[in-house]
Amino acid sequence: KKKNSIRASFEKMATFGIEKKEDDENKPQFSFGTAAAASSSAPLSFGGNTNFSLEKPLEASSLFGGGEKVQKFGESNTKEVKNEEGENEAEAESTQEFTPVVQLDEVEVKTLEEDEEIIFKMRARLYRFAETLLNKGTGKKEWIERGVGEAKLLKHREHSKIRLLMRQEKTMKIIVNHVIDPRIQLQPNAGNDKSWVWGAWDFSEGELVDEVFAIRFANAENATKFKDAFTNAQQVMAKLIAGEDGPPNPQADSAAEALSNLKTSEEQKVEDTEQAA
């Protein structure tokens, strides 16, 4: 037995370097990057998967094996369910609508311009001569842009007073709001024929503040139109301040007549007594 084992080992050593036979070439061999062929010799596999390949990733049923299949990024989450007849059909998404708990009603916002008529309107850019936030309290003032919007001269339908109102285009914030005072003087801004400078008691921030404004228009023609309309408004306001009657207003006249015909209960009793006597 000992001699036979020694002989077998020498035979194996003697076959080293000899070409392989055809039978050996037909045997399946394991190779990285190719699918393993099924044979009776059971090639190398991991976890019983006979289609193992490094070039083709394994299609695992879940992230760590077992369980439901992991949803890939961007993959539709629509599941297939079987109906009563056994056919697969896509599960429909829910289209149920939920009503909000709190209902917000639309609120009408009044700008206090409903009782006024526009006698002049033109787009312009407004500036204010004041202190900046960095120079607050130092007394150093400079021109600060307030915004772009429509400069309006509004005349009240009841008492005929005129004011200058201007709002920013996007935010609708009031940037100038003052009554047309006959004492205001429009002056050219450093010889610029498209701009005017004046001072007035402004009420745009909710309180009267003495401000200095500058307004600039697109061209000199628009600036001239603004000055003419502003001067005419000053003349109307001067007459109202002096106590003179303004231009005829049928609505105001009818309201005044209705007020004059009103009588108190005592006056009505005296009148009824006189008529009875």
Side-chain angles (χ1 to χ4, degrees), residues 244-277:
E244 299 181 11
D245 294 335
N249 190 339
Q251 295 180 355
D253 294 341
S254 61
E257 184 179 357
L259 290 174
S260 61
N261 294 330
L262 293 178
K263 297 180 181 180
T264 61
S265 58
E266 294 182 358
E267 292 177 348
Q268 187 68 29
K269 289 181 180 179
V270 172
E271 185 177 354
D272 294 342
T273 304
E274 291 178 353
Q275 291 180 357

Side-chain angles (χ1 to χ4, degrees), residues 159-199:
H159 50 67
S160 300
K161 291 184 179 180
I162 305 174
R163 63 168 175 160
L164 174 64
L165 179 68
M166 188 171 177
R167 297 176 182 268
Q168 289 182 353
E169 284 184 342
K170 296 182 179 180
T171 62
M172 301 305 295
K173 178 183 177 181
I174 298 176
I175 53 180
V176 62
N177 180 25
H178 67 78
V179 177
I180 301 299
D181 194 332
R183 298 170 294 179
I184 296 176
Q185 294 181 359
L186 295 179
Q187 299 177 355
N189 184 11
N192 190 349
D193 57 354
K194 298 186 297 183
S195 178
W196 301 104
V197 178
W198 75 97

Side-chain angles (χ1 to χ4, degrees), residues 146 173-178 201-209 211:
R146 293 283 285 170
K173 178 183 177 181
I174 298 176
I175 53 180
V176 62
N177 180 25
H178 67 78
W201 288 93
D202 183 61
F203 197 72
S204 59
E205 300 293 339
E207 58 182 3
L208 286 175
V209 180
E211 297 281 5

Side-chain angles (χ1 to χ4, degrees), residues 55-67:
E55 293 182 355
K56 183 179 180 181
L58 293 176
E59 295 182 357
S61 58
S62 66
L63 185 61
F64 298 102

Side-chain angles (χ1 to χ4, degrees), residues 103-107:
Q103 294 288 345
L104 299 179
D105 299 331
E106 185 178 355
V107 179

Side-chain angles (χ1 to χ4, degrees), residues 7-18:
R7 183 178 179 180
S9 62
F10 276 107
E11 288 179 355
K12 291 181 179 180
M13 293 177 61
T15 58
F16 179 79
I18 300 176

